[in-house]
């Protein structure tokens, strides 16, 4: 058995001199795809059309005065919270609160926002008792956000346990928005019928914009994100918008289930995961001598590293269960690997060499990401380093499985994750 305090790592740590020099991997800077609209994307064109139709319908609905009762509202599940989410958590979340209470809690949050929404925040006249009651609603929404995070992102959740309470709650709020977006896109629907999904995604995007620009919320699970928006005013809406576009790339018949080269895959990885790195930089905060713009590149790289790891872990599952092959076809051709081989789950020397190449590339992104750890506030370094180290271990597990990610699933046990924490802490000193 390997000693607990033996902390080997295949990731080469960066010296302070290298960090200061601005040296980056692969001969150039990480491409920042922030705000790429992808005007040639069929999915994005379809969403733009659906959005116009949604806005028109909403105008007509408001003009005829259609509303639902407070009781009906309190019994409704929040958007993006479906049976799969409830099954994962083990109980309902986001229900039992009236629209009136949601809006009152939002008003309390906005009253502390300064000029975040363009004008000076208006004071509220809640009693001490009423303020405490509304605070409890907000606190409960944060707790439920943590429960969602724990159920669907265990490594991520473990890392948040190493953060301050305020930072931990903020990351949960961001994760829940991302989870809800994913559930909206992936909800079971009739094959070939994307109109309902596009309609819901249009509503979701408009809701995001209204929250960011006006402080408007719809349901109780919106409250934590509004609170984060107020507490971290440098947090940009752009990575949220970009993530939504990334989710579109996975929609059958509209999105993309094959990638010709790594540039295409990199765009996908940025949108669905690199964006999370950028979202969390304001939460973590920067060390003296660094700013959020400087920390953005390694944060983006960490998200890309995580997504590349997910793709390599799930090659067999994605191919057989979803008919998806995320691995760049250009790379496959280079190593003599065929799509038919992947679908047939056939491992040979060519495939193993191909996997080594993909794993090496993912590890380069982890190294690039590790350069950002010293850029963070000291109390944020351990959770980021621990998440980085534990996720990178999945690549080790693929190698331990003799590079068979077609019939075997690589995973890191909870005990292994806990044992990694002291090693990660040593790296942050």
């Amino acid at each position: 058995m390997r000693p607990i305090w033996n902390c080997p790592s295949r990731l080469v740590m960066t010296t302070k001199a290298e960090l200061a020099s601005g040296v980056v991997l692969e001969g150039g800077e990480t491409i920042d795809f922030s705000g790429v609209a992808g005007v040639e994307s069929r999915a994005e064109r379809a969403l733009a059309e659906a959005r116009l139709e949604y806005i028109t319908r909403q105008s007509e609905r408001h003009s005829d005065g259609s509303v639902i009762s407070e009781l009906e509202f309190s019994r409704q599940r929040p958007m993006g919270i479906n049976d799969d989410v409830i099954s994962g958590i083990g109980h309902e979340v986001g229900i039992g609160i009236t629209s009136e209470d949601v809006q009152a809690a939002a008003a309390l949050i906005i009253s502390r926002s300064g000029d975040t929404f363009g004008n000076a925040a208006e004071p509220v006249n809640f009693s001490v008792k009423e303020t405490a009651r509304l605070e409890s609603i907000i606190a409960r929404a944060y707790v439920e956000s943590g429960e969602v995070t724990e159920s669907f992102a265990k490594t991520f959740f473990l890392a948040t346990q190493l953060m301050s309470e305020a930072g931990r709650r903020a990351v949960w709020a961001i994760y829940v928005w991302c989870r809800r977006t994913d559930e909206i896109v992936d909800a079971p629907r009739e094959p070939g019928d994307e109109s309902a999904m596009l309609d819901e995604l249009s509503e979701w995007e408009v809701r995001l914009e209204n929250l960011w620009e006006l402080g408007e919320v719809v349901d109780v699970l919106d409250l934590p994100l509004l609170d984060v928006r107020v507490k971290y005013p440098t947090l940009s809406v752009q990575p949220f918008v970009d993530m939504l576009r990334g989710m579109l790339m996975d929609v059958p018949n509209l999105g993309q289930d094959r990638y010709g080269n790594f540039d295409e895959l990199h765009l996908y990885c940025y949108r669905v995961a690199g964006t999370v790195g950028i979202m969390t930089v304001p939460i973590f905060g920067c060390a003296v001598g660094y700013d959020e713009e400087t920390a953005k590149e390694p944060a983006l790289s960490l998200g890309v590293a995580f997504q590349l790891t997910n793709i390599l872990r799930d090659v067999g599952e994605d191919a057989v269960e979803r008919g998806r092959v995320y691995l760049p076809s250009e790379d496959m051709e280079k190593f003599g690997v065929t799509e038919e081989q992947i679908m047939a789950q056939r491992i040979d020397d060519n495939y193993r060499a191909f996997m080594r190449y993909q794993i090496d590339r993912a590890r380069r992104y982890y190294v690039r990401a590790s350069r950002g750890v010293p850029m963070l506030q000291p109390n944020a370094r351990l959770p980021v380093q621990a998440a980085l180290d534990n996720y990178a271990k999945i690549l080790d597990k693929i190698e331990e499985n003799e590079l068979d990610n077609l019939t075997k699933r690589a995973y890191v046990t909870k005990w292994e994750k806990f044992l990694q924490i002291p090693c990660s802490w040593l790296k942050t000193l």
Side-chain angles (χ1 to χ4, degrees), residues 259-263 327-336 354 357-358 361:
Y259 292 84
N261 54 50
F262 184 67
D263 283 346
L327 302 169
S329 56
E330 185 176 85
D331 293 350
M332 291 169 59
E333 183 177 351
K334 177 180 176 180
F335 284 88
F354 175 52
Y357 177 79
Q358 300 299 325
R361 177 174 355 193

Side-chain angles (χ1 to χ4, degrees), residues 27-264:
E29 296 180 357
T30 300
I31 300 172
D32 178 7
F33 292 106
S34 178
V36 174
V39 292
E40 297 302 318
S41 164
R42 177 187 171 197
E44 292 185 82
R45 287 197 301 271
L47 178 62
E49 293 171 2
R51 177 189 167 104
L52 287 174
E53 293 176 4
Y54 168 77
I55 292 173
T56 301
R57 286 198 308 275
Q58 285 299 105
S59 299
E60 294 171 351
R61 184 178 302 172
H62 287 310
S63 66
D64 68 15
S66 299
V67 295
I68 64 172
S69 70
E70 288 290 318
L71 180 61
E72 183 182 359
F73 178 90
S74 71
R75 290 176 175 172
Q76 285 184 340
R77 283 179 179 171
M79 193 173 188
I81 302 297
N82 55 28
D83 288 343
D84 288 342
V85 175
I86 299 307
S87 175
I89 300 169
H91 62 82
E92 293 283 350
V93 294
I95 64 171
I97 307 296
T98 66
S99 175
E100 182 178 358
D101 280 346
V102 169
Q103 298 308 320
L108 180 63
I109 293 170
I110 292 170
S111 70
R112 304 163 177 166
S113 65
D115 59 356
T116 299
F117 300 105
N119 299 309
E122 296 183 6
V124 291
N125 296 313
F126 296 127
S127 67
V128 173
K129 183 178 180 180
E130 179 67 1
T131 298
R133 188 180 73 85
L134 295 175
E135 291 281 17
S136 70
I137 291 173
I138 299 167
R140 180 60 195 168
Y142 269 117
V143 169
E144 292 184 344
S145 298
E147 291 173 335
V148 174
T149 307
E150 183 178 16
S151 296
F152 292 93
K154 291 179 172 54
T155 299
F156 195 61
F157 180 80
L158 176 61
T160 67
Q161 299 306 293
L162 304 172
M163 299 176 65
S164 67
E165 181 180 1
R168 177 165 59 243
R169 286 165 28 126
V171 172
W172 290 347
I174 290 171
Y175 177 81
V176 166
W177 183 88
C178 298
R179 181 81 245 166
R180 294 172 73 182
T181 306
D182 191 43
E183 294 297 338
I184 291 168
V185 172
D186 288 343
R189 294 184 178 89
E190 290 296 323
D193 180 17
E194 292 83 28
S195 58
M197 182 275 297
L198 289 169
D199 188 54
E200 290 181 22
L201 211 55
S202 297
E203 178 182 351
W204 192 238
E205 184 175 47
V206 170
R207 281 177 55 167
L208 173 68
E209 292 170 356
N210 289 345
L211 185 151
W212 230 262
E213 296 170 10
L214 307 172
E216 292 184 1
V217 300
V218 175
D219 60 54
V220 70
L221 291 184
D222 290 340
L223 293 174
L225 188 60
L226 175 63
D227 197 39
V228 169
R229 167 79 175 103
V230 168
K231 290 177 177 175
Y232 301 93
T234 61
L235 179 60
S236 170
V237 72
Q238 191 61 57
F240 293 84
V241 174
D242 289 344
M243 171 171 277
L244 196 148
R245 296 294 186 271
M247 298 294 184
L248 271 177
M249 295 174 76
D250 270 337
V251 176
N253 303 318
L254 280 178
Q256 192 169 349
D257 57 12
R258 299 293 186 276
Y259 292 84
N261 54 50
F262 184 67
D263 283 346
E264 292 182 10

Side-chain angles (χ1 to χ4, degrees), residues 293-306:
E293 191 62 30
T294 306
K296 183 178 179 181
E297 178 187 339
L300 187 158
S301 294
L302 184 57
V304 171
F306 284 171

Side-chain angles (χ1 to χ4, degrees), residues 360-387:
D360 286 346
R361 177 174 355 193
R363 283 191 175 129
R364 290 199 296 274
Y365 276 90
Y366 280 109
V367 173
R368 181 180 270 165
S370 72
R371 294 172 174 174
V373 176
M375 299 179 184
L376 304 176
Q377 288 279 1
N379 62 1
R381 293 171 190 169
L382 177 55
V384 173
Q385 187 68 56

